[in-house]
Amino acid sequence: MSESKNRVQDFAAAGREHLNAGERARAALFAAFAFSVVALALELSFLLRGHRVAPLILFVPLVVATLVAWGVYARFRYSHLRAVGRLDHFFNIKEGLITADEHIRAGRNEEIHALQIDHTARKLEGHDPASARRQTRRRLWGLAGVLIVLVGGLLFIDDSTEVKTVRAEAETTMALSTEVAEDLKEEYERMIEEADPEIKEMLEDPALKSAVEQFEGGGDRRAVMRALSEIDRELAKMSGQFDTRADESYLKELAEYLSEGRETAAIGEALSNSDYKQAASALESMRLNDPSSAAEREALEKLAARIGEAEKSMSNNESGSRRSANEMSREIKKMANEAGEQGKASNESKASVNDAMNKSGDGMRQVQAKSNAQSALDRLRESLAQGQNRMNGEGPGQGGEGQQPGGDGWGEGVDRSRRGPDAESPSDGELEHLSGLLGEGESEKVIEDAFSGAGVATAAGGDNGAVARERQMEAFVRRDDVPEEMKHGVKTYFERIHELEKRINEGASDGKE
Amino acid sequence: MEKNKTVEQAAELFAERFKSTKEEIGRFIVGQDEIVDRVLMAVIAGGHVLLEGVPGLGKTALVHTLAQVMDLDFKRVQFTPDLLPADILGTNILIDRDGSKVFDFQKGPIFTNILLADEINRATPKTQSALLETMQEKTVTIGGICHRLDRPYFVLATQNPIEMDGTYPLPEAQLDRFFFKLSVELPTHAEMGLILDRTTGIEAPVISKVIDGAQLLEMEQVARRVTVATEVRDYLVGLVLATHPDNATAPRDVARFVRYGASPRAAQTLISAARVRALTEGRYHVAKEDVNAVAVPALCHRVLLNFEGEAEGVSTADIIRGLTD
C-alpha cells in the first residue's frame, strides 16, 4: 500500500513539475513574443524618424516581457489539484489518480481505499509523467528567435544622414553659443568696469544684466537666436535712452560758428572735436566774475551773437542743447540790453546768465556722458551682432553667403544701386531714393491696390506716416530671407525709431508753442 | 493485506456474477446488451426499472428471463383499468379459525422478490399509487398493520408508448421512484433472425439460476463501498442541478425547454448506478464516464419538458447528453 501510495505521490509530484516546466516554457515564449513586438515597435519608431536605437530603450520591452511571463505563468501554472486532474485526463486514468490522490491526502486507509490506490498505481505503470508536459511548437520558438535576432540587428542601424547633420549642427550651435555667451558676458563686464562713474549707473540696467547673465549656450539655434534678440532688444531700448544725435548735430553746427570768433574759438574747437566735456569747461570759463569786466560781457555778447547766427541757418532740431544754448543766448542778450539801457547789468541778470551757462555746460557734459554710454553700448551691440553672425555661420561683421539680410556674400556688402539680371529682388517693391531726418538712401516703394467696395468716411484723418512705417516694417519682416529669430528685433527696432521720431516731433511742437 | 484480498475477491466475485448473469440472460435474450446491463445495474442497486417500448420487443421476456436466472420469487401482474389496489397488495378476509371468525390477511402478488408490473400505465392512478409505498419503503400497510416485503424486492414495470387511449400516465411521484427508465429499441436484422431461431424452433434454451437473493444483496453491499472522489461527486451534483431551468449553470436548452429538473433522489440513483458500473468495469472508484453512462436512463424520466419542449419534439435524452462532458 505504502509503495503504491508513494508511486502515486511521486507520479503526481513529477507530473506537476513537468507540467509547470511546460507552462514556464509557454510563459517564456509569450514573453519572447511580447519583447519582440514591443521592441520592434519602439525601434521602428526611432528608425523611421532617422535615429539610431538606443540600447537602453530595450529596457522597456524587457519589463513588459517580464510582466507578461509572470502573468502567463501565474495564470496557467498548475496547482497540485489541477496537475493531478490534468495528469489523470492526459493518461486516461478515468479519475483514478484524482481519487487516489484524495484518499492519500485525506489519510483514508480502509481496504477499498488501499485497493483503489493499488489499482491506480498499476494503471500508472508505463506512463512517463514527462510526456504530459505541454509541447510548444518549434516553429513558434523559431519565429520568436527570428524576431529577437531582428530586434538585435536593428540596434546596429546608424543615424540617418539628416539626423547626423542635425546633431552636428546642434553640437556646433552649442559650442558656438557657449562661446558667444562667454564673450558677451565678458564684454558686458568689461563695459561696466571701464565705464566712468557717471555712466556706470546708467549702464547697470537690471533687465539687461539679467538677460546677459541668463543667456547660456544651447543646442537649439532658434532658442539661442531668440535669446540674443532679447538681449539686443534690451540694448536697443537702452541705446534709445542715450540717443544724442540731435544734440550732437546741433552742437556740430554750432561749432562751425563758434570757431569763427576769437572769444569762442576754444568752445568751437572742442565741440568740433566732439569733446563736449572740454567745451563745457571752456564755456564755464567764460562765466561772469563779480565784478564782471567789460571784456567778459563782450565775449559773452559775441557768444550770443554766434549762437544767434547759428540759429538762423539751423535746420529743424529740437535738441536739449539747442534749447539751453538759446536760453543762454537770450539771457546774455537780456543782460546786454539791460546794461545798454541802465549803464550796467544787474546782479540778477548776471546770475541768470551764469546759471544759463552752467545749465548749458551741464547739458554738454550730459551729452558727453550719454555719448560715452552709447559708445559702450554700441561696442556691446557690436559684440552681440558678431555673436549673432557667428551663430548664423557668418564671419564677424560680414554677410552670410548671400543668404542673410544685410549683405550679398562674404565681403560683398550691399549695393542696391546695381542689380544683376539674375538677382532676385527681396520684395516686389520698387527702389526709390528717399531723404530722411537722419540720413538718406535707397528704399523700397510698394504701391498696393485698395480693396474695392463701400467705404466709411470719417472726419478724422489717418496717420499716413505711421501707416507707411507699418507697411515698411511688415514688408521687411515678411521677407523669407529674414530669420524668424531676428524679426522680433527688427520689429522692435522700427518701433523704437518711431517712438524717437514721435518724441522729436513732440519736442518741436513744444518749442514752437 | 489479507483484508484487502477479501475486498478484492468480493469485487472480483461481483464482476464474475454480473458477467455470468448477463451471459445466462443472453442465452435467451438476443441483443439488448445495454438494456440488460442497465436492468442488472438497477437490480443490484436495489432499484426499480420502467421498461418502455412498443409491443413485441421482448420487455416481458426480459423480465421473465431475469426471474429465471435469479433464484427469487417472481410474480406478474397485468395492469388493467379495472385492477384494484387490493388485487395487488392483498386483503383481509374473514375466516373460520378454531370455531371463531377472524380476519386473515391474504397477501397479494406484491409479496414477492421480483414483480413484473406489465403495462403499468393501463391501471388507474389509484392502483398505480398502491405501488408507491412498496417501491420506496418496501413495506405494505393494510388495516393499520405494516407488512415488510422480502429482500431483495424490485419492480420491473413495462409500458407502451403508443396506444395511449385508456391509459393513465404515471404521476411524477411514481416516475421518480423508478431507478431507471429504459427504452427498448427494435432489434437489428441479425438479432431478429436469432430471435426467430431461438423462439420458434423445437428446442428452447434452458435457463439456469446463477444467482440468489443473498448474493444479490451482497453485490449491493460491495457496490456501496466503491469510492467517489469529491471532484466526481461535484460533477454529478452539478449535472443534476443543471437540469433545473432556474439554476445558474443550466444551459440554454434546459432553460428553454425544461419545466422541472431532476430531484436529489436522481442524484442518489446516479451515484448508486455509477458505483455498480465502476465495479463492472474493474475499478474501485467512480469515474465521470460512469456517471455519464447512466445519466440518460437515470434522469430522462425525471426531467420534465415544458410546453415548448413538447411542441418542438425535444428529447430529454438529448438534453441530458448535452449536459454531460
Side-chain angles (χ1 to χ4, degrees), chain A residues 221-230 232-233 236 381 384-394 398-400 403-407 473 476-494:
Chain A
R221 189 167 155 275
R222 286 175 182 273
V224 170
M225 292 303 286
R226 269 197 296 273
L228 288 174
S229 295
E230 179 67 20
D232 189 47
R233 193 174 66 82
R381 288 193 78 180
L384 182 71
Q386 284 175 3
Q388 286 176 322
N389 287 338
R390 279 152 67 193
M391 292 304 301
N392 282 330
E394 300 165 4
Q398 295 174 325
Q403 297 300 315
Q404 301 300 327
M473 181 186 71
F476 187 82
V477 297
R478 270 196 230 120
R479 282 165 55 170
D480 292 333
D481 56 352
V482 177
E484 284 295 324
E485 54 269 24
M486 290 189 70
K487 285 180 178 175
H488 178 71
V490 170
K491 200 170 180 179
T492 310
Y493 177 73
F494 272 94

Side-chain angles (χ1 to χ4, degrees), chain A residues 386-430:
Chain A
Q386 284 175 3
Q388 286 176 322
N389 287 338
R390 279 152 67 193
M391 292 304 301
N392 282 330
E394 300 165 4
Q398 295 174 325
E401 299 181 17
Q403 297 300 315
Q404 301 300 327
D408 292 330
W410 291 94
E412 296 293 327
V414 179
D415 186 1
R416 288 268 171 88
S417 62
R418 286 194 301 276
R419 186 174 290 171
D422 56 348
E424 286 182 10
S425 173
S427 75
D428 297 331
E430 294 175 10

Side-chain angles (χ1 to χ4, degrees), chain A residues 282-289 296 300 353-354 357-358:
Chain A
L283 181 64
E284 283 167 0
S285 67
M286 291 176 75
R287 280 183 302 191
L288 293 169
N289 294 316
E296 287 173 351
L300 286 180
V353 168
N354 281 344
M357 290 176 77
N358 286 340

Side-chain angles (χ1 to χ4, degrees), chain A residues 94-96 102 111-112 116, chain B residues 3-4 7 230 285 287-288:
Chain A
K94 297 182 179 176
E95 284 77 42
E102 188 175 309
E111 304 160 41
I112 190 73
Q116 199 277 327
Chain B
K3 206 173 180 183
N4 284 349
V7 176
T230 309
H285 66 272
K288 285 179 186 173

Side-chain angles (χ1 to χ4, degrees), chain A residues 137-162:
Chain A
R137 292 181 190 167
R138 284 187 180 180
R139 198 176 295 173
L140 288 176
W141 275 113
L143 181 61
V146 168
L147 288 175
I148 289 172
V149 168
L150 186 61
V151 167
L154 292 179
L155 286 175
F156 294 100
I157 296 178
D158 203 357
D159 287 325
S160 65
T161 313
E162 289 80 5

